[in-house]
Amino acid sequence: MSSFVLRYFPIKARAEVSRLLLLSSGAKFQDVMPDWPAEKDKQPMGQLPVLVETDEDGSIFELSDSIAIEKYLAAKFGLLVQTGLQDTARENQLRSQVEDLIELWARYIFGTEDERESVYAKYKSAATNFVKYHEKILAENGSNGHYFGAKTTYMDLCLFAFLIIMREPNEKAIPDRNEFFSEANAPGLNKVFQTVQSDPVAAAYVASLK
């Protein structure tokens, strides 16, 4: 069985879904924080996260880019949608929409003071459209706490990790970022969160948050 190293900073952000996938699988892995920026040039693209997989025969597979890592792990652990090309395309679309919000969240925190107002306006618009569209998709699947079918898949885990990130205390983050995703505004999204939170597949990750 393979073992893994996940290199990232000690924050909940672009490696969080990958951590959730690794913990949900029961895989042997380590979280490693490289000496930064001293070890920046040692990373494939000079950035994090990076996944390093060591096979039983000693062969090493290294992968950069957060979403590429996620989809590789989700495929390896059988968590991608398997109900046809259209559902796969929809899964990719929904995940990209989560990433759009993560990008704006990060720009608000790490960008300049001068651009915060415009970033907030973009976040507000994107979050409003996100909730409207995702609530529709979830309703079409029966409002059962899943994006696809009746069991937890990659997209459910992505949404769960996203809400964990948004709910993480951070004085520099968008102040009212969670109001868009409240129970009143987004009941379907919150049902996904609650369903994943109570699913044994996420138990190890949930335990790691305590």
Side-chain angles (χ1 to χ4, degrees):
M1 185 176 180
S2 297
S3 62
F4 301 87
V5 170
L6 183 63
R7 300 177 192 151
Y8 196 58
F9 306 107
I11 59 173
K12 290 182 175 64
R14 287 194 168 94
E16 204 61 16
V17 175
S18 294
R19 287 192 70 253
L20 173 50
L21 288 164
L22 287 164
L23 284 166
S24 72
S25 73
K28 181 181 178 181
F29 88 100
Q30 290 179 290
D31 278 314
V32 172
M33 167 57 195
D35 184 8
W36 205 262
E39 294 184 299
K40 182 176 181 178
D41 291 343
K42 295 181 180 180
Q43 313 312 316
M45 294 295 291
Q47 60 187 25
L48 301 176
V50 170
L51 180 76
V52 182
E53 178 181 10
T54 304
D55 209 345
E56 291 179 338
D57 63 5
S59 60
I60 293 176
F61 174 63
E62 195 171 61
L63 189 63
S64 184
D65 184 86
S66 58
I67 295 182
I69 292 169
E70 291 174 18
K71 289 184 178 177
Y72 173 70
L73 293 173
K76 192 175 185 72
F77 303 144
L79 289 163
L80 292 179
V81 167
Q82 302 291 332
T83 49
L85 185 59
Q86 290 184 354
D87 279 348
T88 296
R90 178 63 56 75
E91 180 181 55
N92 290 335
Q93 174 197 31
L94 296 168
R95 177 62 186 91
S96 293
Q97 290 163 352
V98 171
E99 191 63 18
D100 290 342
L101 290 175
I102 291 287
E103 176 66 25
L104 291 168
W105 168 84
R107 282 177 59 192
Y108 188 92
I109 294 173
F110 300 108
T112 65
E113 188 68 34
D114 291 342
E115 67 176 343
R116 280 190 167 182
E117 185 175 345
S118 65
V119 171
Y120 173 75
K122 290 176 182 177
Y123 180 91
K124 181 178 179 180
S125 175
T128 299
N129 290 329
F130 181 99
V131 169
K132 182 178 178 181
Y133 184 70
H134 284 239
E135 287 290 317
K136 175 178 175 289
I137 295 298
L138 291 167
E140 289 173 354
N141 193 51
S143 299
N144 64 353
H146 300 291
Y147 276 94
F148 300 96
K151 66 177 184 178
T152 296
T153 60
Y154 167 60
M155 187 56 213
D156 299 329
L157 297 176
C158 290
L159 188 280
F160 180 74
F162 168 69
L163 291 179
I164 289 288
I165 293 168
M166 290 300 103
R167 293 170 180 175
E168 184 83 353
N170 190 328
E171 293 181 358
K172 296 182 179 179
I174 295 170
D176 59 348
R177 62 194 178 280
N178 286 314
E179 291 182 17
F180 301 98
F181 311 107
S182 67
E183 183 77 42
N185 289 333
L189 295 176
N190 280 275
K191 186 164 185 179
V192 173
F193 183 90
Q194 293 156 8
T195 300
V196 172
Q197 189 175 39
S198 61
D199 192 323
V201 74
Y205 175 80
V206 172
S208 76
L209 299 174
K210 298 176 181 178

